[in-house]
Amino acid sequence: MNEVVKELQLPWHGDERGKLIALEALTDLVPFEVKRVYYIFDTTPGTVRGKHAHKVLKQLLICVSGACTIECEMPDGTKTEYRLDWPDRGLLIEGIIWRQMKEFSKDAVLLVLASEPYDEADYIRSYNEFKRLSAISLIGRRYEEH
Ligand code: T46
């Protein structure tokens, strides 16, 4: 699976009553069947969560209240931080990407739509293992290019 980290601008329906965002599975915004939804809230100040990658899981992250930062490290070592600070911003993550969630505001609620049920076997929780798998996948890709 190729790695994807994509910032999404989620379209909203707005009128004098306020705004509404609707997400449907198997669309450009949610390009997978949603098999699980979870949310992270009431985080301890200064905490850093995540620190893992997934083997096959695809996820769409939306900070529906407050703000937080998602740091993604790609297999080639490139690191990028994404600030999610409004409910119309989404971050799509697919493939073996090391992620950390940090800098949560007190009122942050991070909503996650996931493509698979919870499965601890899908987690890569060792950073060394992430680097090892990244190296293998980079070598494989170079080989395919030739
Ligand atoms: C991810 C980031 C963005 C469950 O029992 N079911 C679940 O669906 C999830 C997500 C977690 N758990 C249990 C497993 C742990 O005992 O909840 C506890 C906390 O999970 P974890 O330490 O993995 O949480 P985060 O915030 O570090 O990571 C979570 C997701 O696990 C992960 O898939 O990509 O949010």
Side-chain angles (χ1 to χ4, degrees):
M1 188 203 286
N2 284 336
E3 295 75 35
V4 175
V5 180
K6 196 165 155 192
E7 287 182 284
L8 299 176
Q9 177 65 46
L10 308 174
W12 41 264
H13 304 270
D15 57 31
E16 67 285 356
R17 297 169 300 169
K19 295 188 173 77
L20 178 155
I21 289 177
L23 298 171
E24 292 193 13
L26 303 174
T27 59
D28 285 349
L29 296 174
V30 189
F32 52 82
E33 259 187 65
V34 179
K35 301 215 177 125
R36 177 166 53 113
V37 173
Y38 63 90
Y39 42 97
I40 294 165
F41 63 103
D42 198 17
T43 48
T44 309
T47 200
V48 179
R49 302 186 62 114
K51 299 185 197 167
H52 59 250
H54 280 283
K55 294 174 189 162
V56 300
L57 192 68
K58 301 178 182 180
Q59 295 183 303
L60 175 62
L61 290 74
I62 304 162
C63 204
V64 291
S65 168
C68 67
T69 299
I70 316 294
E71 183 187 294
C72 294
E73 179 175 341
M74 307 302 279
D76 67 1
T78 311
K79 288 184 193 169
T80 309
E81 290 192 349
Y82 301 89
R83 186 75 178 157
L84 298 180
D85 59 2
W86 200 245
D88 70 355
R89 285 191 188 167
L91 190 68
L92 187 65
I93 304 182
E94 300 181 11
I96 299 181
I97 292 166
W98 190 260
R99 82 281 314 261
Q100 298 191 39
M101 300 92 77
K102 58 190 183 183
E103 295 160 4
F104 289 89
S105 63
K106 199 170 162 34
D107 56 347
V109 181
L110 178 62
L111 175 71
V112 184
L113 311 186
S115 66
E116 306 298 332
Y118 177 70
D119 178 8
E120 188 58 36
D122 190 61
Y123 284 74
I124 303 163
R125 292 200 185 266
S126 150
Y127 186 70
N128 286 343
E129 178 65 359
F130 164 71
K131 294 306 274 181
R132 192 183 71 82
L133 293 172
S134 296
I136 292 170
S137 109
L138 289 177
I139 290 166
R141 263 172 231 172
R142 278 189 206 124
Y143 181 76
E144 280 168 18
E145 283 166 17
H146 288 94

